[in-house]
Amino acid sequence: MASLARTFAPFARAVTKRPRLDFVPPLLRSISTTSPIIDTPAPPPQVRSTILKQSPPARIAPTQPATRAIDPEIHPSVPTLLPLLRSQPPYYATICIYGKHYLVTAGDEVRLPFLMHGVQAGDVLRLNRAVLLGSRDYTLKAGAGSDEGRRWLDERLFAIRARVIGIESEPMRMKEKTKRRQRHVRTIKSKHKYTVIRITEVNVLGQERLIGAAEEGAVSGEIEAVAVGVGETV
Amino acid sequence: MSYFRITLLRSAIGLPQKTRGVLKALGLRKRMATVYLPVSQDAAGQIMKVKELVDVAEVEQPVTKELAKAARRPDPGFYVEQKASTPVLS
């Protein structure tokens, strides 16, 4: 019965008007309050200069690799053909920086499509992610021989170093943002910066680097021998 | 406790409000968004309402937004071996 009464109760919504604080009825004006009126001093205005915002932490470049690229299996072509690859300097390599591939050899200048934070001109970088190592007639590819496919080569097989040359920037470009039939135009300027590095050395290291840690693993890649005849170009 | 991993593969543009409501209840805002729902009859019924639009898999643990973002982040591919001797005068 109580629930029935509740359902049939008139839907009551309190309608209240906000009291006008500036309107005091004439009769009440003469009535004084019992508590004394104390003038509290106004709080000091917050000075803008004292509000300090915590600046975001400066981004630093990695000084140690987060993970090691070490392969558990050794491909049978590696013991036979890696010494042959090593016997043909100079070498080239396809390195990966933030997922982007660059085919480089010693002496190349690479203009990265971003500003590298935490480095300055003169810093030496060790590039530890490579997909391909090659010489004149031989190529070592990551994951070529296996079905699962490897993302990178075993990092113990190569040493690729680069030096940061400096920072380049694009010319200033202005973009005008506006809407149709509105006489207001906003201008946005852009001048992006790019880090330039020079590859100082591309070295292919010997298989003895893998012997000590043979239990951990070795490279899993296939070396292809590209037979180049006289007068032919690959 | 296992979870449904639900990914929206087809857009809801042009679909009736009821279907859009189901996607909103699931938490799928745009295409290729992924949500994790505990396996239950309610969740299964919701999925059945939009089964032509989504891809569903059952997983043990849900992946948080931070972990999913970290998995997508590429490897830097470099580290600083030696810093320059003199600091840059700025």
Side-chain angles (χ1 to χ4, degrees), chain B residues 14-56:
Chain B
L15 293 183
Q17 288 297 324
K18 270 193 181 177
T19 315
R20 291 197 197 187
V22 174
L23 291 175
K24 185 177 178 183
L26 286 171
L28 294 165
R29 290 175 183 275
K30 46 176 70 175
R31 214 177 73 88
M32 306 313 280
T34 311
V35 291
Y36 291 83
L37 253 67
V39 170
S40 65
Q41 289 182 327
D42 297 352
Q46 282 178 314
I47 292 168
M48 286 304 289
K49 282 284 178 188
V50 292
K51 61 184 182 316
E52 293 87 2
L53 312 173
V54 296
D55 171 74
V56 181

Side-chain angles (χ1 to χ4, degrees), chain A residues 26-215:
Chain A
L27 274 175
L28 292 176
R29 270 192 227 127
S30 54
I31 300 169
S32 60
T33 55
T34 52
S35 58
I37 300 167
I38 301 167
D39 277 326
T40 53
Q46 242 182 342
V47 183
R48 277 221 174 257
S49 58
T50 57
I51 303 169
L52 290 172
K53 267 191 182 176
Q54 208 171 19
S55 57
R59 285 191 268 182
I60 54 173
T63 48
Q64 273 168 16
T67 49
R68 303 231 164 236
I70 291 171
D71 280 329
E73 297 145 8
I74 187 169
H75 197 270
S77 69
V78 169
T80 48
L81 293 178
L82 187 63
L84 294 172
L85 193 155
R86 282 197 73 206
S87 70
Q88 294 184 327
Y91 318 109
Y92 65 91
T94 301
I95 53 173
C96 308
I97 299 179
Y98 286 117
K100 308 285 189 293
H101 294 227
Y102 306 90
L103 195 150
V104 294
T105 183
D108 284 351
E109 242 184 43
V110 180
R111 181 175 180 268
L112 301 172
F114 59 91
L115 176 69
M116 194 186 278
H117 295 274
V119 294
Q120 63 187 48
D123 287 353
V124 176
L125 307 176
R126 178 75 178 265
L127 304 163
N128 57 350
R129 295 286 182 260
V131 165
L132 197 136
L133 288 177
S135 71
R136 191 171 187 275
D137 294 326
Y138 300 93
T139 316
L140 175 62
K141 288 189 202 172
S146 61
D147 289 333
E148 22 185 286
R150 305 271 174 207
R151 295 175 69 189
W152 302 299
L153 288 173
D154 195 310
E155 61 177 29
R156 297 170 293 185
L157 278 185
F158 58 89
I160 302 174
R161 288 186 178 86
R163 187 175 276 270
V164 177
I165 299 297
I167 298 173
E168 269 182 12
S169 81
E170 57 168 356
M172 175 89 75
R173 57 188 157 101
M174 301 286 205
K175 188 183 190 83
E176 287 187 350
K177 306 210 77 172
T178 188
K179 303 278 184 214
R180 294 172 12 170
R181 298 174 294 276
Q182 307 303 322
R183 299 180 192 186
H184 179 256
V185 177
R186 187 162 59 112
T187 309
I188 306 291
K189 57 179 182 179
S190 306
K191 197 178 182 194
H192 290 186
K193 297 196 190 309
Y194 306 100
T195 302
V196 181
I197 61 173
R198 181 187 293 278
I199 311 294
T200 50
E201 60 168 296
V202 176
N203 275 347
V204 176
L205 306 173
Q207 211 188 331
E208 60 270 10
R209 301 279 174 139
L210 309 172
I211 290 171
E215 296 83 39

